[in-house]
């Protein structure tokens, strides 16, 4: 199962810095792995996960990732979306489930600190290491939301109105599938995840 | 080099700015090319149910005209990763700088003094950061653009309303005319209405769905907090057009008549 990840690592290690494709280096000054031009893993934004560790999206390289942007004070849609993601995970065949990561990125750069995300993980029963929760800085959150096409607006109370979008990234970080809305059928997402591993 | 330029350079290179921890702030007096927009109100045509009808907008500085091709050329010369030959497809679609003759050549389709168009939001933001500036917010842009030629509330000035509406009915000139030649508005800002459309920093906050017929009652399942966005002042047609236009954009889009101008906050 880790063969692909190892392969990616081998490619990463053997790619000389001078051989970067012209279109790829969104991350200047670093030997870029052989990522597709539209891979989100080119982004140089840094995040903090709920264990307090500094992370880049590139750390997700090698496995499919199902991503949603949420905030933990959300009163309506986010709990439903997370429940949808739990259903999707449960519906994945065992082999795919073992490889697929589920990433929640918070809109709320102020309130959703790593300890708050850690509490949210416990409350929603999100198992490690499959589930990853990212806290980030406002410009990076905005950039990621724009790359996904998520619309978001912070109101005076600090709550967010946002589109409910589930995105599947393939193992090299390209957007493979997106679904808008809540309580949808899980089959399509499961098929999309499975297809990224073929 | 003026002290102001040096300050901007310092701001542009500071790590704090890159992380958004500190916002670019303007010195006194107003730098050349910028217009001070006094504090006022913005009345969004679309708003959330719980939102007030008007939103206060703090005084800020707005560029008096859109960014030109010559100015953007200087940016891509200094920042190779923003040249059309090298730009990441994440940050700009294939039409990026499509009016230009080449990656570093303007050509007849893109006169030096005309507004730069076919730039993505990501590229516009990168330009602004490079200059130590930022993009205006929707509230700021609309606050400045609500002014007529002679009065602060353009909705009460027939000549202004007519000019803005008429622009929607005429095809775009090719190549675009020079920036900065339009009639200045009440604040002294030019070309907000009758030259191009312009990016704003928070263009993706308009919570409309892709399907216009569904927007009358935004589907609650598509948007958290939705069903509560409503319209006011249906008479301000151009403001609706702009809101609709913005909601149709993605940040990597490049459009033949979509450019931008920069803004700067005033120190409190």
């Amino acid at each position: 199962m880790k063969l692909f990840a190892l392969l990616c690592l081998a490619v990463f290690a053997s790619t000389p810095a001078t051989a970067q494709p012209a279109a790829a280096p969104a991350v200047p000054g670093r030997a870029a792995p052989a990522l597709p031009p539209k891979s989100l893993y080119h982004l140089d934004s840094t995040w903090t996960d709920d264990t307090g560790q500094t992370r880049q999206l590139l750390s997700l390289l090698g496995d499919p990732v199902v991503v949603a942007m949420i905030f933990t004070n959300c009163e309506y849609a986010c709990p439903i979306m997370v429940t949808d993601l739990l259903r999707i995970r449960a519906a994945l065949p065992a082999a795919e489930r073992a490889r697929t990561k589920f990433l929640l990125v918070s809109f709320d750069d102020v309130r959703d600190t790593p300890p708050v995300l850690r509490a949210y993980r416990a409350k929603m029963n999100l198992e490690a290491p499959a589930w990853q929760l990212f806290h980030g800085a406002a410009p990076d959150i905005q950039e990621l939301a724009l790359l996904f096409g998520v619309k978001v607006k912070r109101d005076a109370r600090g709550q967010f109105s946002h589109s409910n979008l589930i995105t599947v990234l393939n193992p090299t970080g390209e957007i493979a599938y997106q679904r808008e809305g809540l309580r949808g059928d899980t089959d399509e997402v499961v098929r999309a995840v499975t297809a990224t591993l073929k | 080099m003026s002290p102001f330029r040096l300050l901007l350079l310092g701001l542009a290179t500071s790590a704090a700015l890159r992380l958004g921890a500190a916002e670019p702030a303007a010195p006194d007096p107003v730098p050349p090319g910028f217009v001070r927009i006094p504090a006022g109100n913005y009345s969004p045509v679309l708003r959330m149910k719980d939102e007030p009808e008007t939103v206060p907008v703090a005084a800020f500085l707005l560029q008096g005209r859109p960014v030109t091709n010559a100015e953007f050329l200087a940016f891509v010369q200094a920042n190779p990763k923003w040249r059309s030959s090298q730009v990441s497809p994440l940050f700009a679609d294939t039409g990026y700088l499509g009016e230009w003759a080449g990656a570093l050549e303007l050509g007849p389709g893109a006169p030096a003094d005309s507004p730069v168009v076919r730039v993505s939001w990501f590229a516009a933001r990168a330009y602004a950061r490079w200059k130590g500036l930022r993009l205006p917010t929707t509230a700021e842009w609309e606050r400045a653009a609500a002014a007529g030629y002679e009065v602060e509330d353009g909705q009460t000035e027939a000549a202004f309303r007519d000019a803005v509406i008429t622009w929607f009915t005429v095809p775009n000139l090719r190549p675009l005319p020079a920036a900065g030649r339009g009639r200045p508005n009440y604040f002294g800002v030019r070309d907000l209405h009758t030259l191009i459309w312009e990016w704003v920093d928070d263009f993706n906050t308009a919570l409309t769905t892709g399907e216009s017929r569904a927007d009358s009652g935004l589907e609650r399942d598509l948007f958290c907090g939705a069903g509560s966005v409503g319209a006011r002042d249906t008479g301000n047609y151009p403001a609706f057009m702009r809101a609709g236009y913005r909601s149709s954009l993605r940040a990597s889009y490049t459009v033949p008549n979509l450019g931008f101008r920069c803004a700067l906050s005033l120190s409190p």
Side-chain angles (χ1 to χ4, degrees):
Chain A
M1 127 197 177
K2 286 289 172 200
L3 186 61
F4 183 81
L6 283 171
L7 195 65
C8 287
L9 272 174
V11 171
F12 179 90
S14 66
T15 307
T18 49
Q20 289 178 18
V27 189
R30 193 176 69 196
L35 293 170
K38 284 205 169 187
S39 171
L40 294 184
Y41 298 160
H42 289 297
L43 297 184
D44 58 0
S45 52
T46 54
W47 306 81
T48 310
D49 68 17
D50 65 316
T51 69
Q53 209 186 336
T54 301
R55 301 279 300 272
Q56 290 200 314
L57 292 177
L58 185 62
S59 65
L60 301 163
L61 178 72
D63 291 316
V65 185
V66 184
V67 195
M69 296 186 79
I70 59 139
F71 65 107
T72 65
N73 282 291
C74 185
E75 288 148 4
Y76 174 69
C78 304
I80 299 176
M81 194 150 55
V82 173
T83 306
D84 277 2
L85 292 174
L86 284 161
R87 280 171 45 224
I88 289 162
R89 182 157 193 266
L92 282 169
E96 279 81 359
R97 184 162 63 238
R99 282 195 56 175
T100 306
K101 295 182 186 120
F102 286 76
L103 172 65
L104 300 178
V105 180
S106 173
F107 290 117
D108 197 335
D109 61 311
V110 178
R111 293 179 297 185
D112 280 346
T113 57
V116 171
L117 292 178
R118 198 154 59 237
Y120 191 72
R121 175 194 286 280
K123 179 181 152 199
M124 300 301 286
N125 240 330
L126 308 175
E127 289 170 40
W131 288 84
Q132 318 240 352
L133 287 78
F134 279 15
H135 157 86
D140 296 330
I141 294 167
Q142 184 187 25
E143 179 178 84
L144 193 62
L146 288 168
L147 287 167
F148 285 145
V150 170
K151 297 192 174 186
V152 58
K153 183 170 193 169
R154 192 195 305 245
D155 71 19
R157 290 159 55 221
Q159 297 292 97
F160 296 81
S161 292
H162 57 90
S163 41
N164 298 308
L165 199 66
I166 291 175
T167 301
V168 175
L169 299 180
N170 71 14
T172 52
E174 293 168 292
I175 294 175
Y177 170 86
Q178 290 195 300
R179 190 192 87 184
E180 198 157 15
L182 297 172
R183 299 190 197 85
D185 190 19
T186 55
D187 293 358
E188 250 190 76
V189 188
V190 167
R191 271 200 300 277
V193 171
T194 308
T196 68
L197 289 170
K198 291 226 161 92
Chain B
M1 181 174 266
S2 72
F4 173 66
R5 283 217 166 275
L6 283 171
L7 179 64
L8 288 188
L9 269 172
L11 281 168
T13 50
S14 81
L17 177 61
R18 171 67 193 84
L19 293 170
E23 201 181 69
D28 221 18
V30 174
F34 279 78
V35 174
R36 186 179 190 278
I37 308 295
N41 288 312
Y42 157 56
S43 304
V45 290
L46 297 171
R47 63 189 176 87
M48 312 299 290
K49 192 172 59 187
D50 304 333
E51 281 179 327
E53 284 196 18
T54 59
V55 181
V57 180
F60 69 104
L61 300 179
L62 187 64
Q63 217 176 339
R65 55 156 176 76
V67 172
T68 64
N69 283 309
E71 289 167 332
F72 205 79
L73 179 62
F75 165 66
V76 302
Q77 278 167 339
N79 297 276
K81 71 173 184 174
W82 287 106
R83 294 174 191 171
S84 58
S85 54
Q86 298 186 34
V87 71
S88 163
L90 283 177
F91 295 138
D93 67 24
T94 53
Y96 179 61
L97 296 176
E99 313 293 317
W100 291 17
L104 292 172
E105 192 189 342
L106 299 182
D113 292 339
S114 295
V116 65
V117 290
R118 288 191 187 265
V119 284
S120 65
W121 178 91
F122 291 114
R125 185 184 64 161
Y127 173 93
R129 282 182 172 175
W130 177 68
K131 285 281 199 183
L133 304 167
R134 60 177 176 80
L135 297 178
T137 64
T138 304
E140 288 170 340
W141 198 97
E142 290 289 337
R143 153 78 178 138
Y149 297 125
E150 305 289 344
V151 294
E152 188 163 348
D153 181 3
Q155 284 302 106
T156 65
E157 186 181 344
F160 170 77
R161 284 206 320 269
D162 291 350
V164 174
I165 290 278
T166 304
W167 182 62
F168 289 124
T169 68
V170 295
N172 286 297
L173 294 168
R174 282 283 171 260
L176 285 165
R181 306 260 175 87
R183 184 174 170 188
N185 78 358
Y186 178 76
F187 299 124
V189 183
R190 297 172 193 261
D191 305 328
L192 284 165
H193 292 288
T194 53
L195 187 60
I196 52 167
W197 303 81
E198 295 182 17
W199 283 111
V200 288
D201 185 64
D202 55 344
F203 75 95
N204 69 322
T205 56
L207 295 176
T208 51
T209 67
E211 167 56 74
S212 60
R213 282 165 297 183
D215 284 349
S216 51
L218 282 178
E219 290 177 72
R220 205 168 154 79
D221 278 0
L222 290 179
F223 288 103
C224 177
S228 52
V229 177
R232 57 172 293 283
D233 188 14
T234 49
N236 193 347
Y237 176 72
F240 269 103
M241 288 285 286
R242 290 192 294 272
Y245 183 77
R246 284 180 198 125
S247 75
S248 73
L249 295 170
R250 297 279 300 253
S252 62
Y253 281 8
T254 67
V255 185
N257 55 0
L258 177 59
F260 69 103
R261 71 179 73 212
C262 300
L264 199 51
S265 302
L266 286 161
S267 335

